Amino acid sequence: MTSFLEQADFSDKNVFLFNTHGGSGDAGTPATIKALQPGASVSSDNYVVSRDAVAGAEPAIVAWVGGLPR
């Protein structure tokens, strides 16, 4: 992912993060993306779900996506 972010140009783009994890939460990913894509607007309204909650997460994910700005 880092290689991709080093090569891509997200200038003037809104970035909303979604990730699953096994205990590390977002693991500092928003800060990493902000550093690699300084021209992007990285949202603080990100969706992070634990591996233990993945099976039942669909309704909350759908609601989160539905609430994102268009």
Side-chain angles (χ1 to χ4, degrees):
M1 195 70 187
T2 300
S3 295
F4 169 74
L5 290 169
E6 289 172 341
Q7 296 174 22
D9 182 6
F10 285 15
S11 296
D12 301 318
K13 304 290 185 209
N14 296 319
V15 178
F16 298 91
L17 306 171
F18 166 83
N19 73 284
T20 60
H21 67 90
S24 60
D26 70 17
T29 302
T32 300
I33 293 175
K34 286 178 186 178
L36 294 171
Q37 291 290 327
S41 175
V42 180
S43 176
S44 60
D45 182 23
N46 302 311
Y47 195 86
V48 179
V49 60
S50 169
R51 67 175 171 223
D52 299 328
V54 169
E58 183 177 354
I61 294 167
V62 169
W64 173 73
V65 169
L68 294 175
R70 310 254 172 206

